[in-house]
């Protein structure tokens, strides 16, 4: 099929690896000091790698290419997560019982930090499609559990952003239509998606990315994955 896909100019590539790090689909790999499109079917054509490239070595082109295979991308991510977290193998990682050691009280500042939340409501299902705080906003779409798992969530993710949250496993229906309307009808400057490492949380990432495609807008975006013990796994 003929579709939009990235093209990497190896002569311009300086081997910094920024594009590979920015590619959430793992379609780009570094070989012999140069970036290469390893899997055409992993490239979704959204081009998050373009602004990451400091030399302008990456462009779009229309050509015959394998269709984007979202199922293969998700399967590859799940295999990688399973290999990185052996304790999560067997059963549903999203509902597996786990216990973590909290930080010692001495390491926590005595003064309580103020909330960085700038608007209400925050639930995707309750948020209006049009609101004055959407225009010119840096939008955060986050899975519910991320704010509980990552200790500095307000400072690192909510500050300076309009926040929408949801749980794709517990909420009924899909977020894609609502998020598409928000992205299409407002001047969103950037999109940050924060999800947990558990597979069921991939639905909020998929809904946001599908909404971005359907909106027809080119908006810089990134996905951040939080581990169940509160670490940032990729960015």
């Amino acid at each position: 099929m003929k579709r939009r896909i990235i093209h990497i100019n190896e002569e311009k590539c300086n081997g910094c690896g920024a594009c590979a790090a920015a590619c959430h689909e793992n379609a780009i790999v570094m070989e012999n000091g140069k970036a290469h499109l390893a899997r055409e079917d992993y490239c979704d054509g959204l081009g998050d790698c373009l602004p990451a490239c400091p030399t302008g070595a990456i462009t779009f082109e229309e050509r015959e290419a394998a269709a984007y295979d979202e199922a293969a991308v998700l399967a590859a991510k799940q295999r990688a997560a399973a290999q990185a977290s052996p304790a999560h193998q067997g059963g549903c990682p999203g509902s597996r019982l786990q216990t973590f050691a909290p930080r010692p009280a001495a390491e926590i500042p005595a003064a309580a930090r103020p909330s960085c939340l700038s608007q209400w409501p925050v639930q995707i299902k309750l948020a209006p499609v049009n609101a004055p705080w959407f225009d010119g906003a840096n939008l955060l779409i986050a899975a519910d559990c991320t704010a509980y798992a990552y200790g500095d969530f307000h400072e690192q993710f909510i500050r300076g952003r309009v926040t929408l949250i949801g749980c794709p496993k517990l909420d009924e229906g899909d977020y894609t239509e609502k998020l598409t309307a928000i992205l299409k009808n407002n001047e969103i400057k950037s999109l940050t998606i924060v999800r947990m490492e558990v597979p069921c949380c991939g639905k909020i990432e998929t809904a946001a990315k599908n909404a971005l495609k359907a909106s027809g807008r080119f908006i810089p975006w990134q996905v951040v994955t939080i581990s169940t013990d509160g670490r940032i796994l990729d960015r």
Side-chain angles (χ1 to χ4, degrees):
M1 63 177 294
K2 193 171 185 178
R3 68 182 184 94
R4 187 172 76 163
I5 196 168
I6 65 164
H7 170 73
I8 302 173
N9 185 327
E10 291 192 15
E11 292 184 0
K12 291 185 177 181
C13 176
N14 66 1
C16 69
C19 59
C23 179
H24 308 298
E25 318 302 315
N26 297 323
I28 301 175
V29 299
M30 303 302 297
E31 293 179 352
N32 301 319
K34 297 287 185 179
H36 297 275
L37 180 60
R39 293 278 304 253
E40 288 185 349
D41 58 337
Y42 279 20
C43 178
D44 57 12
L46 287 175
D48 196 48
C49 54
L50 271 70
C53 180
T55 64
I58 304 178
T59 55
F60 280 126
E61 63 178 354
E62 290 277 345
R63 64 174 175 82
E64 290 292 328
Y68 172 59
D69 191 341
E70 184 178 24
V73 171
L74 292 176
K77 288 184 176 182
Q78 289 173 11
R79 288 195 299 271
Q83 292 172 0
S85 305
H88 288 170
Q89 296 180 18
C92 175
S95 57
R96 187 181 182 87
L97 297 178
Q98 300 180 67
T99 302
F100 312 114
R103 289 175 58 194
E107 296 181 7
I108 302 175
R113 293 184 177 182
S115 171
C116 295
L117 193 65
S118 63
Q119 101 292 334
W120 190 268
V122 295
Q123 287 285 343
I124 296 172
K125 295 287 187 178
L126 300 179
V129 170
N130 292 104
W133 26 263
F134 275 135
D135 284 324
N138 295 302
L139 181 62
L140 169 67
I141 298 174
D144 288 350
C145 296
T146 56
Y148 293 94
Y150 189 69
D152 206 24
F153 194 84
H154 272 246
E155 286 292 334
Q156 293 293 318
F157 297 110
I158 294 181
R159 180 176 292 280
R161 295 186 175 97
V162 167
T163 302
L164 295 178
I165 65 171
C167 177
K169 190 167 187 177
L170 300 181
D171 287 346
E172 293 184 4
D174 179 51
Y175 302 130
T176 303
E177 184 176 352
K178 180 72 168 286
L179 294 177
T180 299
I182 290 172
L183 294 174
K184 182 179 291 186
N185 292 294
N186 300 279
E187 294 297 327
I188 303 296
K189 288 170 55 179
S190 69
L191 173 62
T192 299
I193 306 160
V194 185
R195 54 162 293 184
M196 296 298 296
E197 65 175 322
V198 296
C200 59
C201 217
K203 292 182 180 179
I204 199 166
E205 176 183 345
T206 300
K209 289 162 66 175
N210 286 342
L212 184 57
K213 291 179 185 177
S215 73
R217 293 181 177 268
F218 185 80
I219 301 171
W221 62 282
Q222 63 170 329
V223 177
V224 181
T225 303
I226 307 294
S227 70
T228 50
D229 61 352
R231 293 172 294 113
I232 294 181
L233 296 181
D234 57 61
R235 199 168 193 165

